[in-house]
Amino acid sequence: MLFSIINIYRILLVSIRLYTPKKNKYNNVKTALDGHIFASKREASRYAQLKLLQSAGEIRNLQLQPVFTFTMAGLEVRHKNYKQPLKYVDCKRALKYIADFSYEWLDRTQQHKGWQIVIEDSKGFKTPEYKIKRALMLYFYGIEVKEV
């Protein structure tokens, strides 16, 4: 009898651990919106704002999770949606940066006057890895990542 009670207790402990949701490292909560699952409420909120801007005509070509590759093996380094390669490097491993959003913004200032590519990332906490990838984006693509 004692043996079976101990086994039942162990099974209950295991089942409780399996159904207890894990706490995220940065306390973000996954959020679903328009059939997409976002890593945080902040990212989902920003997506809703960008959708409104797109419907108003202020931005165009809104993309979720655009992938930028910094290839290292003599292969081209380019954005997956760009037609021409930007740079060639001579190393051995590929490094990827996945931004939250990419879109074109109508810049009406005196300097540019036209559609400018904007890369956005919703950040609550800037990791050292993110800081390095942000610097690589500026170096390889000449695009400064906008943090929201």
Side-chain angles (χ1 to χ4, degrees):
M1 176 108 178
L2 181 63
F3 180 71
S4 63
I5 292 174
I6 292 173
N7 282 342
I8 292 171
Y9 180 71
R10 285 182 184 163
I11 291 170
L12 285 174
L13 285 178
V14 169
S15 65
I16 289 171
R17 282 191 209 131
L18 289 176
Y19 292 107
T20 304
K22 289 182 180 179
K23 190 172 182 179
N24 200 313
K25 186 175 181 180
Y26 299 110
N27 293 325
N28 55 339
V29 178
K30 289 194 180 213
T31 307
L33 181 65
D34 288 347
H36 303 287
I37 297 176
F38 296 96
S40 66
K41 289 179 184 177
R42 178 183 302 202
E43 189 177 336
S45 171
R46 183 60 183 160
Y47 172 71
Q49 292 172 355
L50 291 173
K51 288 288 284 185
L52 285 173
L53 287 172
Q54 186 173 21
S55 64
E58 292 293 318
I59 66 170
R60 68 179 185 188
N61 298 334
L62 176 62
Q63 297 175 1
L64 301 175
Q65 307 290 315
V67 178
F68 294 87
T69 306
F70 311 106
T71 349
M72 320 237 178
L75 301 174
E76 58 196 46
V77 175
R78 64 186 175 93
H79 184 276
K80 70 175 184 176
N81 295 326
Y82 284 39
K83 305 243 188 289
Q84 73 277 6
L86 296 180
K87 231 175 230 260
Y88 291 88
V89 292
D90 200 12
C91 297
K92 295 200 179 199
R93 288 178 37 146
L95 177 69
K96 287 184 182 177
Y97 168 62
I98 302 173
D100 290 339
F101 308 105
S102 169
Y103 57 88
E104 293 178 14
W105 170 65
L106 183 57
D107 190 0
R108 295 184 175 111
T109 61
Q110 297 265 334
Q111 298 170 343
H112 301 291
K113 284 195 180 178
W115 293 97
Q116 303 292 320
I117 295 174
V118 178
I119 307 300
E120 273 192 18
D121 219 330
S122 303
K123 287 288 172 201
F125 180 77
K126 297 175 191 164
T127 62
E129 181 184 73
Y130 165 72
K131 291 177 184 177
I132 291 169
K133 289 182 179 182
R134 182 183 61 191
L136 287 171
M137 280 293 295
L138 186 58
Y139 178 76
F140 282 115
Y141 293 97
I143 298 173
E144 197 165 332
V145 177
K146 181 180 175 185
E147 296 163 4
V148 181

